[in-house]
Amino acid sequence: MKKLVVFTGAGVSAESGIQTFRDSDGLWEKHRIEDVATPEAWNKNKKLVLEFYNHRRKQVVHASPNAAHIAIAKLESSFSTHVITQNIDDLHERAGSKNVLHLHGEIRKARSSVDPSLIYNIDGEDILEGQTCELGSQLRPHIVWFGEFVSELDVAADIMAEADYLIVVGTSLAVYPAAGLIHHVSPSCKKYLIDPKAGHDVRGFTIIQKEAGIGMPELMALLLEVK
Ligand code: OAD
């Protein structure tokens, strides 16, 4: 089987009703990153940070996978597929994708604020101030904040290096180190980018300037023919 990597960002979940970050009505228009998505924000105001992610967790729980997530999952039957996502939702998994690597964490999990290996499934529940891990420290969202180490980066780079096909869907490629992963593919890798506003400087990519829910099923059909 040929190896396929699908690298996704917030745009793949936009049609499921989950806001992107940098579009005109995006999350970072309404919230300052420094207030809710950094270790400094956490140290300054845990309640605000917890409320921000508790709200987002509720949104994710009530959202459903869209046609793009489903098309990506369907490709698994014909390609050895890895999904590498910057998203913290679980819509790829709920669409049926088996190999999903979350670079920036997972909203439906909490973790210890002193031992990052202590991770707990909390499903759709809120994390409250005073809720602690088994070591007695405050639980925090299982999210990689700005300025924090992206622990899955090397694994993701190794997966990219093996790809015969790379599909990039719904990401502005503005956030590093994640965005740099696309440069790890081999020169022979066939590369596609799906984004309705695709203005990115991405040489060597076939650009599909459509929403993910349209462009991804179309590309799936094409790849199933050529596989
Ligand atoms: P952005 O909000 O930066 O970019 C979203 C991209 O999706 C843009 O290029 C949009 O044009 C595109 N888009 C919008 N609607 C779409 C649709 N229906 N179909 C396809 N594409 C669509 O989101 P990310 O690139 O994912 O990190 O942002 C990267 C990281 O920045 C996030 O993981 C998050 C954020 O800050 C952390 O929180 C650490």
Side-chain angles (χ1 to χ4, degrees):
M1 269 190 180
K2 295 275 190 194
K3 292 184 178 150
L4 167 68
V5 175
V6 188
F7 180 55
T8 64
V12 79
S13 297
E15 290 153 84
S16 295
I18 299 177
Q19 282 163 297
T20 61
F21 296 95
R22 293 175 185 78
D23 286 302
S24 54
D25 58 346
L27 264 178
W28 297 150
E29 288 282 307
K30 300 189 190 87
H31 305 270
R32 284 165 23 114
I33 289 175
E34 308 83 62
D35 291 340
V36 293
T38 63
E40 293 75 22
W42 176 246
N43 291 333
K44 193 168 147 205
N45 191 342
K46 292 189 174 47
K47 188 163 184 284
L48 181 71
V49 174
L50 288 172
E51 277 170 3
F52 175 73
Y53 287 102
N54 286 343
H55 178 65
R56 299 192 56 209
R57 191 174 303 106
K58 292 266 182 299
Q59 274 187 336
V60 166
V61 169
H62 291 113
S64 302
N66 65 51
H69 299 106
I70 291 166
I72 292 165
K74 279 191 183 153
L75 284 165
E76 260 182 36
S77 57
S78 302
F79 292 87
S80 166
T81 306
H82 281 275
V83 177
I84 300 176
T85 187
Q86 298 165 86
N87 297 345
I88 58 177
D89 65 54
D90 60 346
L91 297 181
H92 285 301
E93 288 91 338
R94 282 198 265 151
S97 287
K98 299 278 186 304
N99 286 323
V100 186
L101 190 148
H102 288 270
L103 290 170
H104 292 160
E106 294 172 76
I107 189 78
R108 296 179 86 154
K109 294 181 179 171
R111 76 165 186 255
S112 160
S113 48
V114 293
D115 181 348
S117 71
L118 295 175
I119 298 167
Y120 306 91
N121 280 317
I122 53 167
D123 198 18
E125 296 300 313
D126 287 350
I127 305 176
L128 304 173
E129 262 192 304
Q131 271 185 319
T132 56
C133 71
E134 62 224 55
L135 301 176
S137 80
Q138 173 67 43
L139 284 179
R140 59 167 276 180
H142 181 43
I143 303 289
V144 178
W145 287 321
F146 284 88
E148 291 190 315
F149 181 59
V150 181
S151 61
E152 302 296 330
L153 199 68
D154 288 348
V155 179
D158 289 346
I159 294 169
M160 285 279 183
E162 298 275 307
D164 298 299
Y165 294 90
L166 170 64
I167 308 174
V168 175
V169 194
T171 172
S172 59
L173 295 172
V175 173
Y176 283 80
L181 280 169
I182 64 168
H183 303 301
H184 286 263
V185 296
S186 76
S188 62
C189 178
K190 292 195 173 58
K191 301 181 283 189
Y192 301 86
L193 174 84
I194 302 176
D195 192 313
K197 294 197 194 125
H200 322 48
D201 179 18
V202 273
R203 263 162 255 156
F205 278 76
T206 300
I207 308 286
I208 300 169
Q209 202 160 7
K210 293 183 179 179
E211 296 192 325
I214 305 284
M216 194 55 236
E218 285 179 8
L219 181 57
M220 176 196 74
L222 187 89
L223 290 178
L224 291 180
E225 272 175 32
V226 301
K227 73 169 191 310

